[in-house]
Structure formats: structure tokens, C-alpha cells
Amino acid sequence: MQMEFGKAFKEKYFNLDPEAVFCNHGSFGAVPKSVQQYRIELLEEVNRHPDSWFRRNSVRNLTAVAAKISQFVGCDEEDAVLVDNATTGISILLHSLKLAPSDRILITSHTYAAVKKAANECGAIVHELDIEAKVSSKESVVGMYRQALSVHNDVKLAIVDHVTSPSAMLLPLAEIVEACRENDVMILVDGAHSPGHIPLDLKALDPDFFVGNLHKWLFCTRGCAVMYVKKVHQDRITPVVVSHNHYEPFQKRFPDGSTRDYTQLCCASKGLEFFEQCGGFECITPYNVKLLKWATDHLIKQWKTQGSPFPEELQAPFMSLVMLPPKKEYLPPSEASANRMMSDLFSQFNVQSVVQYIFGNLWCRLSVQNYNCKEDFERLAEAVLAL
């Protein structure tokens, strides 16, 4: 029997504050009660017999969980490991690749800020591809990549977002991977928003590297991500922290072997189990897509503004942009005024959403998960108008 999503679903399966409005699942996710309980049980197991956990049970747990997640993202079991989050995975990869100062990394104007910083810190040249709001199609985005790669023949690595964090844009990943392959450029896919949001088949996609958070859209505990590395590169990839497992084969190097809490990683199988109990993509996607369409249209109408500047084929399934109405308290638009508006929505109305400063304006980035309902976005609309 299919679960009934919405407000009652949230109250039954989550510990989210019933007085608060959450329109920002994409940032930090939400952990079901069953997954929280499982982590408590694991922590009790750790503390009941630390030696047994760290010497035997943790390895057995992590291996089994990694196998299940590998199957979910469509790759061989030996090609994927668990790490704390997508940003951690990207830092590990950039640190391990040891690019030369003359090498070039290709990113975009929509690349996540932390990833931009990581790229700039690794010693190579960083080239930012400016993807503007006026892009008209998948082909136009791919054309920008092909143009950049033809002009800069020193590009060694392209960091490509699957879904862009600030702008909720769905990039044409397969076509970009193909363009990079044709130019002998390694591809690192930042799939921070991918697992549980978009079906994955990494074998078919064939990037060199992929990192994806499991705590955003797959109902896992926070600090849990998958890192895929193509076999040809695995000997080069090591944890940033040098510890006991540093010279082991690829899968045994991660986590790094230090004494710390790995229970959040071991819970990934329970997050996946809850996702499947919800009906998986077959049930979650239609609900989220329909609600996001309603919410976007409702906010556009209430605020008398516009929706995402990108064509529908470049919009993420569970996330979207709506331009915010001009409010004199937040003019001129800037990163500072975006942060102030976001803070005011929370402090004055207990409404949590994301306000972004992009393309010269303030935009609301919506995220819809199956515990959301129309009332959440009605309250968001009213709160913004009341500021």
C-alpha cells in the first residue's frame, strides 16, 4: 500500500518542528525517525564493546552498506566508498590528483562556493565558465563547454554539477561527459543533489569521479555521501588524513581508519530502506514534481514575479527558483540582503527557505520533499509579503 505523503506523513515519520515551515529540504535533508533510532542502536553497540566495533563490526557494516549504495547509483561495488559529504569527497579527489600549476580546472559560475574554494586551493589554474540566465537549451550549455574546451587545451579536469546548488539547474550531464571525453578531460561530477533526486547509472554515464550526498534526498543521517572512482584512477586516490589504512586497496582506505564515529555512514542502508518504503522514484517523483509545479505557480501569482529563467529541460525535478518581489528593506539586491531576508523569514515567521542573490536579483530557491504540502508554500508566500 502506497504511503500518503504530506503533513500527516511528516508528523508520523519525522521529528521536524510542527510549528516550523520547511521549504529547504535540499540544504540539510530530513532524517526519518526510524533512521535516527537505528543510529542510536549502533551507538549503543559501539559503547557496549568498542573493541568489537572498531576491529570487526564497523568494517563489516560499512562494506555491506557500500555494496547497497553502489547498486543504487549503478556502479560496481569495488568502485564506490562512503565519505562524510560531497565537499569532503571533492577535496579528497583534488588533493589526490596533484594537478600541476600549468593544468587547468574547468568549473562554472554556478559551481558550489565551497567547491570553488577547493579548486582554487589545489594549485592549478581555475577557469570559470559563465552560464548566464539566458541559456535557451541543453544544446546551448553543451556548446559552451565545447567552446571552452576547444579554446583551453590545457584543461585536465572539469568539475560538473549535476544539479546546481544556487540556481537549481539540471545540467545535461551525459552530453557534457561526452564532450569532455572527446577532449581527453577528466570529469568529476558534483552530484551533491543527485542520489534520491535523480535516478543514476554511473556505469552508463562513465565519469572519472562522482560524489553524491546521501543525507539530502535519500533520507540518510547527515554526514553521509558516496564517492565513485573509476578503476583506472583508484591507485591515486587516498584520504586526506594519513592513517592505518593508507596503503590498503582503494575500498579499504575509506574511511581513513582513525578512531571516530562512523555510525552515520552505517545508517545509509536504513535511509535507502525508507526511500524504498516510500515507493522509491516511482511514487516520490510524481508527488514532488506536482507539488513543486503548484508551489512555483502559486508564488509567482502571489508575488507577481517570475519563475526560473531556465527552460524546463534545464530545471531540477524537486527544486526551482522564483524571483522575490522587491522590498525596500532588502534593496539593493546583494548577498548581504539575501542573507538578511532569509534570516528575517525564520526569526519573524518560522519559515525556512533559501534566498539567493543571482543574476542581479533576489530569488527564492524552493525544495520539495514528500513531507511538504501546499500549506507550507502558502505560508512562505504570506511571510515574504508581510516582511
Side-chain angles (χ1 to χ4, degrees), residues 74 85 99 111 274 276 318 377:
N85 55 50
L99 298 174
T111 298
F274 184 82
E276 291 169 343
F318 302 168
F377 300 97

Side-chain angles (χ1 to χ4, degrees), residues 64-78:
V65 171
K68 291 180 180 180
I69 297 301
S70 300
Q71 184 177 7
F72 182 74
V73 300
C75 72
D76 290 337
E77 186 177 327
E78 62 268 24

Side-chain angles (χ1 to χ4, degrees), residues 48-339:
R48 188 163 53 245
H49 200 312
D51 282 74
S52 183
W53 174 261
F54 284 104
R55 295 184 187 277
R56 292 174 289 275
N57 294 354
S58 64
V59 175
R60 186 163 57 247
N61 269 274
L62 289 167
T63 302
V65 171
K68 291 180 180 180
I69 297 301
S70 300
Q71 184 177 7
F72 182 74
V73 300
C75 72
D76 290 337
E77 186 177 327
E78 62 268 24
D79 295 342
V81 295
L82 299 174
V83 293
D84 289 346
N85 55 50
T87 303
T88 298
I90 289 173
S91 293
I92 288 168
L93 294 168
L94 291 175
H95 173 81
S96 298
L97 290 174
K98 295 180 170 53
L99 298 174
S102 58
D103 292 337
R104 191 179 296 265
I105 300 173
L106 181 62
I107 63 172
T108 78
S109 51
H110 299 258
T111 298
Y112 189 54
V115 175
K116 285 187 180 183
K117 292 180 174 72
N120 280 303
E121 286 295 318
C122 75
I125 302 165
V126 177
H127 178 76
E128 185 172 304
L129 182 62
D130 187 13
I131 301 179
E132 300 178 350
K134 60 184 179 182
V135 292
S136 58
S137 64
K138 288 182 178 181
E139 290 75 17
S140 63
V141 174
V142 178
M144 292 179 188
Y145 272 90
R146 291 190 180 278
Q147 172 68 16
L149 293 171
S150 67
V151 171
H152 302 286
N153 59 11
D154 55 352
V155 174
K156 293 293 187 291
L157 176 71
I159 303 177
V160 183
D161 291 79
H162 196 178
V163 173
T164 61
S165 179
S167 49
M169 179 163 54
L170 177 67
L171 290 181
L173 198 53
E175 294 89 341
I176 293 171
V177 169
E178 182 182 355
C180 291
R181 283 267 172 266
E182 292 170 0
N183 288 272
D184 295 321
V185 172
M186 293 184 293
I187 307 102
L188 193 174
V189 177
D190 182 353
H193 285 275
S194 300
H197 186 177
I198 300 162
L200 294 166
D201 186 346
L202 294 182
K203 269 191 178 179
L205 183 63
D206 195 33
D208 294 274
F209 314 100
F210 173 93
V211 293
N213 287 320
L214 306 177
H215 60 250
K216 288 183 182 289
W217 298 99
L218 202 60
F219 302 112
C220 297
T221 45
R222 295 171 190 89
C224 186
V226 61
M227 182 175 74
Y228 161 88
V229 177
K230 200 171 182 178
K231 289 180 179 65
V232 69
H233 301 298
Q234 289 179 5
D235 286 346
R236 308 168 63 184
I237 308 304
T238 59
V240 175
V241 176
V242 178
S243 192
H244 301 291
N245 299 339
H246 202 72
Y247 300 116
E248 294 290 332
F250 173 66
Q251 267 210 317
K252 291 186 178 180
R253 288 178 222 144
F254 297 91
D256 55 43
S258 56
T259 303
R260 61 184 182 86
D261 186 3
Y262 298 126
T263 56
Q264 86 281 11
L265 302 177
C266 295
C267 289
S269 58
K270 288 295 179 180
L272 176 57
E273 184 179 295
F274 184 82
F275 177 85
E276 291 169 343
Q277 287 172 354
C278 291
F281 288 112
E282 185 178 350
C283 295
I284 295 172
T285 298
Y287 180 87
N288 287 359
V289 169
K290 182 178 179 180
L291 180 56
L292 180 65
K293 175 68 166 60
W294 181 90
T296 301
D297 291 345
H298 179 73
L299 295 177
I300 291 170
K301 181 179 179 181
Q302 294 297 310
W303 295 343
K304 298 179 173 57
T305 58
Q306 68 178 65
S308 173
F310 308 118
E312 187 173 345
E313 65 180 0
L314 290 175
Q315 295 179 31
F318 302 168
M319 299 165 65
S320 71
L321 288 179
V322 177
M323 186 183 289
L324 285 152
K327 309 284 272 183
K328 64 180 181 179
E329 297 86 351
Y330 308 101
L331 294 174
S334 65
E335 286 190 22
S337 61
N339 289 332

